[in-house]
Amino acid sequence: MNAIDYKSIHIGQTFTLIEKEPITRVQLVKYAGASGDFNSLHLVEDVGEEVGTGIIAHGMLVMGMISEGITTLIPRKYVRRLNVRFQKMTYPGESIRVVGSIIEKKKNNIIVGEVQAVNQENDIKVKGQFECVLP
């Protein structure tokens, strides 16, 4: 990772942080085991069909992708805040890309950015803002 500092970031700077492989059912099972979230909507086809959604990915899995994306650009020790809102359900087979931009530079080396997790059709799955204090 290249060194990043307050002076090297400018307002309006956009970036693609990461592009993930398509979400698989195996990934959902592994995430359930790691997170303890064994909600049947994430794992059992019959339950998903019964409620009309089919199997859906864990929202926190996608949020984790956003966190991974931000820390790909900015080391975790500089991230002070991340707020997100879930927009749409994410399904197995969708590929998530995390994109963002810098929207504000504040005093004391603080930057504010917007970030989104979008699928291959540019549907926004999760969006939010982050704040970092850079050297």
Side-chain angles (χ1 to χ4, degrees), residues 104-116:
E104 185 177 0
K105 290 179 82 171
K106 297 180 176 180
K107 294 179 183 177
N108 301 318
N109 289 5
I110 297 171
I111 63 164
V112 179
E114 290 180 328
V115 65
Q116 297 178 342

Side-chain angles (χ1 to χ4, degrees), residues 55-109:
I55 299 271
I56 59 172
H58 303 76
M60 294 305 286
L61 172 64
V62 181
M63 182 179 164
M65 293 175 183
I66 281 186
S67 297
E68 179 186 354
I70 293 169
T71 56
T72 298
L73 177 69
I74 299 168
R76 191 174 84 187
K77 64 184 178 183
Y78 300 135
V79 178
R80 296 292 183 252
R81 181 178 57 85
L82 170 62
N83 294 324
V84 299
R85 293 191 67 92
F86 298 97
Q87 304 296 306
K88 290 185 175 178
M89 290 182 272
T90 303
Y91 300 95
E94 290 187 298
S95 299
I96 298 298
R97 180 170 36 97
V98 178
V99 297
S101 64
I102 303 301
I103 60 171
E104 185 177 0
K105 290 179 82 171
K106 297 180 176 180
K107 294 179 183 177
N108 301 318
N109 289 5

Side-chain angles (χ1 to χ4, degrees), residues 4 8 13 36-37 40-42 50-51 53 56 68 83 86-88 101 107 111 115 130:
I4 190 165
S8 68
Q13 183 176 347
D37 181 353
S40 300
L41 278 174
H42 305 303
E50 188 175 306
V51 298
T53 61
I56 59 172
E68 179 186 354
N83 294 324
F86 298 97
Q87 304 296 306
K88 290 185 175 178
S101 64
K107 294 179 183 177
I111 63 164
V115 65
F130 62 93

Side-chain angles (χ1 to χ4, degrees), residues 117-133:
V118 300
N119 69 3
Q120 61 273 27
E121 295 168 357
N122 289 323
D123 292 331
I124 300 170
K125 302 298 183 167
V126 179
K127 68 178 183 179
Q129 287 191 351
F130 62 93
E131 185 174 282
C132 303
V133 179

